[in-house]
Structures are given as C-alpha cells and as structure tokens.
Amino acid sequence: MAEFMGDPIQLKEEGNKHFQAGDIDKAIECYTKAIKVCQDKKVLAVIYRNRSACYLKKENYVNAASDATKAIDVDAKDIKALYRRCQALEKLGKLDMAFKDVQRCATLEPKNKAFLETLRRLGAEIQSKLKTTFSTDSRVQNMFDILFDEESEKDKKEKAANNLIVLSREDAGAERIFQNNGVTLLLNMIETGKPEMILAAVRTLSGMCTGHKARAMAIIQMVGVDKMCSIMAVDNEEIALAACNLFQCINDSLTGGDTREYGKEADLVMDPSKDLKTILLSLLEMVASKKVSGHGRDQALNLLSKNVPRFLSDTNHSTSVFVFSLGLKKILKVCGQVPELPDQLPLTENTQLIASVLLNKLYDDLKCDPERNNFRDICDEYIKSKIDPKDMDKTIHAINCISGLLQGPFDVGNALVGRQGIMEMMVALCGSEREVDQMVAVEALIHASSKMSRASFIITNGVSLLKDIYKKTKNEKIKIRALVGLCKLGSAGGDDYSLRQFAEGSTEKLAKQCRKWLCNPQIDTKTRKWAIEGLAYLTNDADVKDDFVDDEPAMQAMFELAKSRDKTILYAVACILVNCTNSYEKKEILPELVQLAKFSKQHVPEQHPKDKKDFVDKRVKRLLKAGVTSALVVMVKAENIILTDQTKEMLARVFLALSEDPRDRGTIVAQGGGKALIPLALEGTEAGKVKASHVIAKIAAISNPEIAFPGERVYEVIRPLVNLLHTDREGMQNYEALRGLTNLAGFSEKLRVKIVKEKALSEIENYMFEENEQIRLAATECMCNLVTCKEVQDRYLEDGNDKLKLLVLLCGEDDDKLQIAAAGALAMITAAQKKLCTKMTLVTSQWLEILQRLCLHSNVQVQHRGLVIVYNMLNSDNSDLAKKLIESELLEILSVVGRAEDNPKRQEAIDAARTCLVKAMDLGLIKPFASPS
C-alpha cells in the first residue's frame, strides 16, 4: 500500500474497490486523498464525480451536489455527474434546479428510460408544489402564522409583514386576506400592542379599503370607527400617520373613489353617509380630547382639513350647521392652548398651526355671507366667554385663540382685535409680571401687526409699543418676539431699494441680532424660530441677504431647524430662501413709466446694487455649499397641511434658482433633490408645478435618470415633462423638457413606452416643425430616441400625414446636429419597417438628392447614417427601388467611399458603403469587383 500513497490514479482505483465492496467511508477517504494530490483536471473531475456517488449513498446531499458541480465545471456534458447532482438537488427540495439537470441529461441521451422517468416525475411534483405555494390562501395563512409565532426571527417577521401589505394592495390579494378571516387576525395583531405589528396591520387594512366601497364598509363594521380613532390617538408619529392614511383610504372609497359597477341591489346596501358622519363626529371628538396624543390630534386635524368640504356637503344641512358650531369651538380650543400652563391638551409643535390652517380652509369654503357671519359670531362668542379679568389663564387662552385666527382666516382675527377692550387687554398683558402673559400678548400683537390691520391702535402705536418692549425687557424671548413685530410693521415690498425701513443701517443691525439668536443653542427652539420669522422680513433687504449667506453658522442653524419635526417654520424658511435667491415674481418696470413717475414726483422703485445677477449667483453658490438642498428635501416631505400650496410654490422657485447653472445640478441630485421635486411638480399652484417641472427637465437633460430619480420614481418624472411641452409654456421650458425626454427615451424601452402613453408624441412632432432651431433640433433628437418604439413606427406607417416627409426633409437641412438626429431616426425606422423604404420615396421628390447629399457628407456621423438608409432600401425586398438606387449616382458614391483606404476616423462609413456594395452584388445588380490594389 505504501508505494502508491502519492499516486492519484492508484488512490482512485483503491477507492473504486472499496465502493464496490460497499465500504463507503473507506472509499471517501481514498478519493479525498487522491483529490489532494491530483494535478490532472480531467482525472480530478472523475474523482469528484465518484466521491459524489459516495455522498449520495451516505445521504449527505449538500456535499454530493457540490462534488458533482465540480465535475460539471470541467465538463458540462458529464452525464453521470449531472444525474447525480439532479438526485442530490431533489432530496434537498430544490426541484426546479434538479429538473434542469435531468432535462440536460435527457437532451444528451434522449432514449435513456431512467432520465425520462425522472423528468416526468419532477415535472409533476413541481406543478403540484406550485399549486399549493401559490394558492394565495396558504400564503396568507403562512404570513399570519409567522407573525404570531413568538419564535420567528425578526427579519422573517418583517418580511411577512411587508408581504402582507403588498398583497393587500392588489384587489385579488386583498379579497383573499378578507375571505381568510384576515380582519380578525389583523385586529389580533393590533391587540399585541407592539408598534411594528400595529403598523403592519393598519397598513394592510389601508390596502384592503382602497378603491373598494363594499369592502371598506365591511371593515368599518368589523373594526369600528372608535377602534381606528384609538389607534390614531396613540403617542407614536408613525402609527398616527398610518391610521390617518387608513381613514383617508376609507373616505376616498366611500365618497366615490370607487367606480365599480355593483348593479341594482348595491344602492340598498351601499349608503355610506351614515359611516361618513360617524367618522366626521369621531374626528371632531378627537380634536379637543385629552386622551388623544399630539400626533393623533395633528392627524385628526389634517384629515378634517383635507376632507371638510366633502364631509360637510355629504351630510344634510341641519346637521352640518350643528356639526359646524360644535367643531369650530373644538378647533378654537386647540388654538387657545398655552403649553406653558398646567392641564393643557397634549400637542406637538405643529398642532396649533394645523388648527389655524384648518380654520382658514373652513372659512374659505363658506359660500355666502350669512354663513361667514355665523362663523364670526361663533368665534366672537367663544372669545368673549373666555375673557375674565379675574382669571389670567382663561384670558390668555382667549388671546392665544385670536393669534390662531390671525394666522388662519386673518379677517376674522383682525375684526376681533378691533373689538372694544381687546387691544387694551393685550397691552396690559405686555406689562404683566408673568413671562407667559407677556409672550402670549406679544405674539398676538405680532400676528395682528400688518399693513391691513383694522385696529387703528396698531397703525398709530404699534411701532412705539413694540420698540418700548424691545428696549425695556431683560427677557430674550420677549425681545426676539418684539423685534419680529417691528420687522413686520417696517418691512416694505420686494427688492425696492428706496423704501428703506427704519434709519439706514438699522436693518442690518436687527438682522445681525436675529442671526446671533438663531445660532445660540442656549435659547429654546420656539424662540429661535422667531429669529427666523424676523429674518423672513429683513431679507427683503439686499444687504441683509448678502450678510446672511456669508454667515455659514446661521445658515446651518436655519437648515437644522428646517429639518426638525417642527413644521411651523416652513413658510418663514421658504421666504428667506426666496429672498436670498431673488426668485420672487419680478415686477417689470417700463422705462417710460419711470420717466413719467419722476416727472410727476412719484415714488420710483429702484433696484439695489446687490440684487444684480452676479450677487444673486454668488448667493446661490453659498447656499448650495451650505447644504440647502438637503434642507429643502426634508421640507418637501412634511406630511402635513402646514405645507401649503403657496409654500410649495416658493420651494419650487428656490429649486429653479439653484439649478440655473448646469454644474450645480449634480449637487442637487446627490443630495436627493430629484426625488423631492416630483411631488412639487404634481400638486400645488399652477405656477409652482410648472417651475418644479422645469427643474426636473433641467436635471433630466444632463443626469443619469436612474441616479437622479431612483427606482419607480423615474416613471413619475415623465408627466411633469410632458406638461411643459404645451404651447402656452415658455420656449426655454419646451426646449429643456424635450432635452429631458430625449435623455429618458435613450435609457430604456419601458421609459419610451411611458412617454408614448403620456401622449407626448404629437407635441414632439409639432416641435419638429418649429422655427426656433434649437427647439426643432431637440424635438428631432427626442424623436430619434423614440423610433425604436413600435407605436411610434406605426404612426409613421399611417397614411394621410407628413411625418415621414418631414423626417426626410430635415435630413436635407444645413445643420450637422439636426441631420445626425433626423438621419439617425430615418436609419432606425427604415431598418425596423421595410415598407417605409418605399414610402419615403413617395412622400417627396427630393428624397434621392437628399440621400446623395447625406452619403457625401463631410461629417462622418451624417454620412454613416445616410449609407445605412441606402442599405435598408437595398434590403427592403423592393427590387425596383434597389435597381433605381444603383442606376443613380449613388453607385458611384458607394464605390468611391467603399474603395477608400481603411481610415479609423471614417471607418464606420467605409464599412457601411462596402456592405451596400456587397448587398448590390447579392441582388445581382452589379458584378463583383476586384479588391482595391
């Protein structure tokens, strides 16, 4: 035995003997030694294959499969190894992989009975297994089992929860969950009290209620509105938001979001008004309930704000009047809360402003004067009932209520401030001993300080009163607030240099003070917010803008606050950014009007030197460097009605100013700006949507779409771009939208199909007729990237239009880039659709002349495309056309180009010409020629 210790062949033979004798362990030992010393690949493969057989006998299937694989890696047709691996994989439960191996064996030896039998057996097993795994019922059951099993690992549970949510979003899946006792199981998940279980259950219920009235109504019955409210009331932001979404899905389904046909009997069963009323009353109940967390209250107010007009129009009038006065008092109660006092409702930083926005919406939705008067009366009564000279806490509740109204329906608040005694009360409170009284009073004064104020007191004494407080108080909190009031009363319009606020220079001093407060972490956040409010007014001044962007810590401090959970600051930050980037609406000043104004000694608006372009550009660069994009991205995400359409428009304006220089667009994309722009482009004011779409176009034109708009987002980008193609948009917007679409169309077939679906084609075709050369070029390049799309080709095949004619004529224009695009489109489309080769000769008599000019072009890209078109025509199965081409001067052109020396710079064209000549020989139109000497 000793002499062949190191010889693999001997060791292999030894192993074989042991195997035959049935001593499998000894055989494995010999084969393993042989593997260690064997150098020959083919021998090694055989040893592995043999050891694989041993492992199969030992039922060690993982090793059996792995050894067989090593043999197959050397020889893919090793039939024994393939079959062994198939057996091992089957035992491991990997049926589909085993099936592939035995399929391979059966192709190599089609007559082998064992292979055919295994193939049939595995095929049948796979089928039946698919039936059980894929019957959704067992899947649903399976998911719930994992979720309720205490032993399941965390990631397994997460996966099951996610699968459940995804399943509930498709109708069939939602129905399966519903039929399989799903609602009860979901309620059990909620009962566990574990946040992740509650979230998964609520999100699954949302999916099940979406777009299906009957199911939504059944779920309301089974879960109960009270239960949903109690989930929304918990002190967990994510859960409150998920419950809010559930209510929204239910509401959409019940108020006609669901367009399915239910037939006659549906009307009897499906009257949702009772459910809607229950929901409305329950939400109102939550608004002023102590049992509800701040997050829950925010979401109840958000829901009322999004749906109030619908809620009210759905209930009959008498109830709506009752609900209205009941609800209004509850909302006013929220506005009047003073968090510094004991025994107040739980609030978040945002609750009171959300309540103000809701009040504003309610007031705006009222159609007639009596209704508005009623609204005012209720507010009036409520405030009166709270003012009590003996009870300071009640009184400041009333004053805070007025502040809430001034931030909502300003007219209503303004009228109240003008009432007998209210102003005196506010002034008296300013001198109170208690800090909280002073704060509430000063804040109310600030909100009332406005050029439109009805209180003559504010107009005459506002400034002196606030200056007085500002100078005398030792309390920083009060000082900052007084300062904001002064800024507000003093701020003049826009960037008009000549209406300076107080004395020269004091604006900068005030702003410097605000920046100092903003950067001071010792001061509480609420107070630092007021410093931002102050800057929102002061940055109307160009010197202040310039100082602000030079102060990096102040910018950083503002961005940090903008990213915090406190959303009440969004509007002020947006104002500052709009001011610093000069992206507000500019008033056009006509020179002749200026002359006229000077002549009649009227005020002439002037522009501050620091509002000129180079200063603005420098400010934009500073903001980008300080990380403004990441702050904007967070601001846009506010799941909240505080992010009003007006604020969204301001954010879109800022984005547009930031994206002006193509070199900065990479920075914007890198910080997530691409994603943030999509919601701004899809909802908001008309101007805001157009501006956000314009930025998307600028980014889409020069970025890799997959990076700029990751995942499915990229498909959402197309609609905003198509909206910019409308003729009433500016030329620059049309142009950049076309460039963005061109880039997207070059990226994937799925994107091209989406562009066609969004009905962009006719717009793009119209711009190919455009007189403006840049727009015409952009449209033609876009079309060039779209012609591989079947639907686009069909449009060119249709009769009765000039599409193909236009494309041929554009090839004859004197502009290399335009010719490259038009000839590129023509080359691709004639390759895909042979009929078009004949059609293009019928649409214009100039076709041959244009084609010859393309083939002689000095620009090799144009020339190459021309020659490809010639080849497509020769290859189009139209012998008359081919003959016509070869009888024309084209033959000479082809010969000259094709016989040229090889030249790397023009090789594409030379090769194309040679291919044409070979084709012409195949068709028997020219005789073979000797190769160039």
Side-chain angles (χ1 to χ4, degrees):
M1 173 113 181
E3 62 272 18
F4 60 76
M5 267 318 288
D7 179 8
I9 306 283
Q10 291 283 12
L11 281 165
K12 184 186 79 151
E13 297 304 334
E14 185 79 358
N16 292 354
K17 280 181 195 152
H18 289 306
F19 185 81
Q20 249 98 46
D23 191 347
I24 306 297
D25 290 326
K26 278 266 174 61
I28 291 179
E29 195 178 314
C30 289
Y31 292 143
T32 306
K33 284 179 187 163
I35 286 167
K36 280 180 188 154
V37 292
C38 182
Q39 300 297 320
D40 183 316
K41 250 179 154 180
K42 285 195 172 151
V43 177
L44 192 60
V46 175
I47 306 171
Y48 271 128
R49 185 176 74 192
N50 292 356
R51 191 172 71 172
S52 167
C54 301
Y55 283 137
L56 272 177
K57 283 252 192 288
K58 298 284 292 176
E59 296 185 9
N60 179 343
Y61 300 119
V62 176
N63 285 0
S66 132
D67 275 2
T69 302
K70 286 175 183 146
I72 296 164
D73 287 347
V74 175
D75 174 11
K77 291 185 175 162
D78 185 336
I79 208 159
K80 283 185 181 170
L82 280 164
Y83 193 60
R84 274 171 203 160
R85 185 167 72 177
C86 157
Q87 291 168 293
L89 288 169
E90 183 187 350
K91 293 289 191 210
L92 289 168
K94 299 185 174 170
L95 298 186
D96 43 349
M97 289 161 78
F99 184 79
K100 277 186 189 146
D101 281 350
V102 74
Q103 223 174 358
R104 197 74 217 278
C105 295
T107 7
L108 294 167
E109 278 189 38
K111 296 224 166 80
N112 184 319
K113 290 251 173 72
F115 295 169
L116 293 173
E117 176 51 28
T118 313
L119 193 64
R120 192 195 55 70
R121 184 171 51 76
L122 283 177
E125 268 178 50
I126 288 173
Q127 280 310 315
S128 72
K129 195 170 174 190
L130 277 179
K131 270 187 195 143
T132 57
T133 18
F134 273 105
S135 78
T136 331
D137 297 357
S138 68
R139 261 170 75 199
V140 171
Q141 219 27 67
N142 195 8
M143 288 173 211
F144 280 119
D145 291 346
I146 294 170
L147 286 169
F148 285 116
D149 179 7
E150 291 298 323
E151 309 294 302
S152 304
E153 291 122 41
K154 188 167 175 248
D155 53 341
K156 222 173 163 180
K157 277 192 169 176
E158 275 174 20
K159 204 169 169 194
N162 267 333
N163 288 344
L164 201 57
I165 296 166
V166 170
L167 191 66
S168 73
R169 286 181 185 154
E170 40 181 292
D171 195 50
E175 199 48 41
R176 297 304 340 128
I177 299 174
F178 189 76
Q179 298 298 345
N180 281 286
N181 192 25
V183 180
T184 312
L185 291 167
L186 290 168
L187 279 169
N188 294 346
M189 279 170 70
I190 291 167
E191 289 312 314
T192 63
K194 293 179 189 158
E196 64 282 4
M197 293 282 263
I198 298 174
L199 267 177
V202 173
R203 287 173 178 160
T204 305
L205 285 168
S206 299
M208 292 166 71
C209 290
T210 301
H212 196 300
K213 197 171 184 177
R215 197 162 46 227
M217 288 177 76
I219 285 172
I220 295 175
Q221 294 315 313
M222 295 163 83
V223 177
V225 176
D226 288 350
K227 180 77 199 161
M228 293 182 202
C229 288
S230 69
I231 298 169
M232 195 159 84
V234 297
D235 192 12
N236 175 318
E237 193 173 3
E238 261 198 299
I239 291 176
L241 184 60
C244 168
N245 284 334
L246 172 58
F247 272 122
Q248 193 58 53
C249 294
I250 288 177
N251 187 57
D252 291 345
S253 293
L254 297 193
T255 50
D258 182 9
T259 49
R260 251 163 295 193
E261 289 299 318
Y262 289 104
K264 282 280 187 297
E265 71 282 7
D267 295 339
L268 306 173
V269 205
M270 309 280 285
D271 175 25
S273 58
K274 197 163 134 269
D275 284 334
L276 284 168
K277 191 174 165 195
T278 310
I279 292 174
L280 173 64
L281 290 170
S282 307
L283 289 175
L284 284 173
E285 207 42 56
M286 286 182 76
V287 167
S289 157
K290 277 203 173 149
K291 296 194 188 109
V292 176
S293 72
H295 294 302
R297 198 173 324 281
D298 286 0
Q299 297 308 344
L301 291 163
N302 267 329
L303 277 166
L304 287 166
S305 184
K306 282 185 195 152
N307 305 299
V308 140
R310 283 196 294 183
F311 273 141
L312 291 183
S313 60
D314 285 336
T315 44
N316 61 42
H317 192 68
S318 59
T319 46
S320 74
V321 172
F322 156 72
V323 167
F324 195 75
S325 61
L326 171 90
L328 197 45
K329 286 177 190 153
K330 290 183 187 296
I331 302 164
L332 289 169
K333 181 176 176 182
V334 173
C335 286
Q337 298 295 300
V338 181
E340 290 77 5
L341 295 181
D343 209 28
Q344 302 288 297
L345 296 175
L347 306 175
T348 71
E349 307 89 333
N350 302 317
T351 314
Q352 288 176 293
L353 189 57
I354 298 177
S356 289
V357 175
L358 172 56
L359 286 172
N360 195 37
K361 203 151 182 192
L362 285 170
Y363 188 68
D364 276 351
D365 281 334
L366 297 177
K367 300 288 181 288
C368 57
D369 286 346
E371 287 184 350
R372 292 191 162 202
N373 291 337
N374 177 39
F375 185 104
R376 287 200 189 98
D377 293 344
I378 296 171
C379 295
D380 211 22
E381 219 173 285
Y382 182 82
I383 303 272
K384 271 194 200 135
S385 72
K386 296 293 177 196
I387 288 186
D388 178 353
K390 294 193 188 67
D391 184 343
M392 264 337 216
D393 287 3
K394 266 179 87 177
T395 305
I396 60 175
H397 177 92
I399 301 294
N400 222 15
C401 249
I402 295 177
S403 274
L405 285 163
L406 287 164
Q407 292 172 81
F410 181 80
D411 302 344
V412 180
N414 201 356
L416 283 167
V417 175
R419 287 282 148 83
Q420 190 64 42
I422 298 275
M423 202 66 226
E424 289 78 351
M425 181 67 76
M426 279 157 70
V427 176
L429 282 169
C430 286
S432 161
E433 294 296 299
R434 282 203 309 183
E435 178 190 90
V436 65
D437 296 342
Q438 294 177 33
M439 293 243 288
V440 168
V442 173
E443 287 187 12
L445 266 176
I446 297 169
H447 292 306
S449 299
S450 142
K451 300 266 180 347
M452 287 113 48
S453 180
R454 294 264 292 276
S456 55
F457 179 89
I458 296 255
I459 301 299
T460 47
N461 310 344
V463 173
S464 53
L465 175 70
L466 287 164
K467 267 191 180 165
D468 207 36
I469 296 172
Y470 181 68
K471 287 189 181 129
K472 284 185 185 157
T473 180
K474 298 277 181 290
N475 185 330
E476 293 277 282
K477 294 182 178 180
I478 306 289
K479 221 178 179 58
I480 293 182
R481 288 165 171 79
L483 176 82
V484 175
L486 286 171
C487 295
K488 212 173 148 184
L489 282 174
S491 73
D495 53 7
D496 180 356
Y497 180 37
S498 39
L499 281 177
R500 294 305 290 273
Q501 304 196 11
F502 310 111
E504 191 63 55
S506 70
T507 316
E508 280 105 300
K509 267 192 218 138
L510 290 175
K512 190 173 176 189
Q513 185 57 58
C514 281
R515 297 204 310 273
K516 227 163 85 186
W517 282 324
L518 178 56
C519 295
N520 182 353
Q522 258 68 61
I523 298 180
D524 67 302
T525 315
K526 253 184 151 173
T527 306
R528 287 167 64 208
K529 257 169 37 192
W530 281 100
I532 291 183
E533 295 278 344
L535 285 165
Y537 293 104
L538 294 168
T539 46
N540 277 317
D541 179 291
D543 289 308
V544 174
K545 302 178 196 186
D546 245 42
D547 293 345
F548 180 69
V549 296
D550 282 340
D551 186 344
E552 179 110 3
M555 284 197 287
Q556 296 290 354
M558 177 173 85
F559 295 156
E560 281 319 300
L561 283 172
K563 290 179 187 176
S564 69
R565 299 231 303 250
D566 184 340
K567 301 302 174 199
T568 55
I569 192 178
L570 290 180
Y571 182 70
V573 174
C575 285
I576 293 174
L577 292 174
V578 163
N579 285 340
C580 288
T581 54
N582 287 38
S583 48
Y584 35 73
E585 273 305 332
K586 310 273 191 301
K587 296 188 184 71
E588 287 302 321
I589 299 172
L590 300 170
E592 47 272 32
L593 286 182
V594 173
Q595 287 310 326
L596 190 68
K598 278 186 177 160
F599 179 67
S600 58
K601 297 208 168 58
Q602 291 219 327
H603 167 67
V604 183
E606 295 170 46
Q607 194 188 34
H608 189 294
K610 287 189 179 172
D611 278 322
K612 299 218 164 25
K613 189 171 181 340
D614 45 342
F615 278 96
V616 177
D617 291 346
K618 209 168 77 198
R619 290 201 287 267
V620 164
K621 299 277 184 235
R622 283 268 162 82
L623 284 164
L624 280 163
K625 191 166 161 267
V628 63
T629 311
S630 57
L632 287 168
V633 169
V634 177
M635 290 164 76
V636 171
K637 280 192 190 142
E639 291 264 358
N640 211 312
I641 56 165
I642 291 180
L643 182 63
T644 56
D645 286 351
Q646 190 190 356
T647 309
K648 281 188 201 157
E649 179 184 324
M650 292 165 81
L651 297 178
R653 286 173 183 279
V654 174
F655 265 122
L656 189 56
L658 297 174
S659 65
E660 212 41 59
D661 180 347
R663 285 169 304 197
D664 293 328
R665 293 174 202 166
T667 314
I668 295 173
V669 167
Q671 296 181 354
K675 290 202 289 276
L677 282 157
I678 296 171
L680 291 179
L682 294 176
E683 47 204 52
T685 64
E686 205 39 52
K689 290 193 291 197
V690 171
K691 286 182 165 42
S693 303
H694 194 177
V695 189
I696 290 179
K698 284 174 183 287
I699 289 175
I702 58 170
S703 322
N704 172 342
E706 280 187 332
I707 294 170
F709 312 103
E712 291 296 306
R713 289 280 157 70
V714 69
Y715 301 105
E716 295 172 35
V717 167
I718 289 167
R719 179 165 303 157
L721 294 185
V722 175
N723 287 341
L724 284 185
L725 294 179
H726 296 324
T727 38
D728 50 1
R729 302 271 174 262
E730 294 163 20
M732 199 59 197
Q733 293 169 342
N734 301 153
Y735 172 69
E736 302 209 34
L738 285 165
R739 295 208 34 217
L741 287 168
T742 304
N743 195 11
L744 293 170
F747 215 77
S748 75
E749 180 64 18
K750 208 168 159 188
L751 279 168
R752 289 191 281 277
V753 170
K754 179 84 175 135
I755 293 173
V756 173
K757 270 210 184 110
E758 288 290 346
K759 308 204 173 23
L761 284 179
S762 51
E763 304 275 7
I764 298 169
E765 287 159 358
N766 288 342
Y767 285 117
M768 289 169 70
F769 284 100
E770 175 69 43
E771 279 171 28
N772 177 312
E773 287 172 10
Q774 280 180 298
I775 291 183
R776 184 174 57 174
L777 170 63
T780 310
E781 288 179 333
C782 191
M783 186 54 77
C784 179
N785 279 353
L786 286 168
V787 290
T788 53
C789 213
K790 179 83 176 66
E791 293 181 48
V792 180
Q793 295 169 10
D794 292 343
R795 286 170 81 95
Y796 278 91
L797 285 165
E798 284 166 13
D799 287 327
N801 63 54
D802 285 339
K803 294 182 183 36
L804 190 62
K805 177 178 180 177
L806 176 65
L807 207 50
V808 177
L809 293 177
L810 288 174
C811 291
E813 289 286 330
D814 272 337
D815 169 356
D816 286 13
K817 283 183 175 166
L818 184 58
Q819 287 178 290
I820 289 172
L826 200 54
M828 286 192 281
I829 204 163
T830 49
Q833 299 289 347
K834 292 185 175 179
K835 284 186 192 160
L836 290 175
C837 294
T838 313
K839 183 172 174 179
M840 76 175 253
T841 62
L842 307 173
V843 290
T844 166
S845 54
Q846 295 163 285
W847 69 273
L848 187 55
E849 179 196 337
I850 289 173
L851 200 51
Q852 289 170 352
R853 278 177 53 202
L854 290 177
C855 295
L856 283 168
H857 206 288
S858 56
N859 181 325
V860 65
Q861 288 183 285
V862 179
Q863 184 180 30
H864 174 228
R865 285 161 174 71
L867 291 161
V868 171
I869 298 169
V870 173
Y871 174 78
N872 293 341
M873 294 172 88
L874 291 172
N875 193 29
S876 68
D877 309 332
N878 177 344
S879 49
D880 294 345
L881 177 56
K883 207 165 153 206
K884 191 167 184 179
L885 287 176
I886 295 302
E887 284 169 1
S888 73
E889 285 156 31
L890 268 172
L891 177 58
E892 193 180 336
I893 297 171
L894 292 173
S895 308
V896 173
V897 180
R899 288 183 175 183
E901 294 281 330
D902 279 359
N903 170 357
K905 285 187 181 152
R906 305 196 69 87
Q907 202 54 45
E908 282 188 320
I910 296 170
D911 290 345
R914 290 175 185 169
T915 318
C916 288
L917 291 166
V918 172
K919 184 70 194 170
M921 282 190 282
D922 292 349
L923 293 169
L925 295 169
I926 54 175
K927 297 198 166 47
F929 52 85
S931 48
S933 49

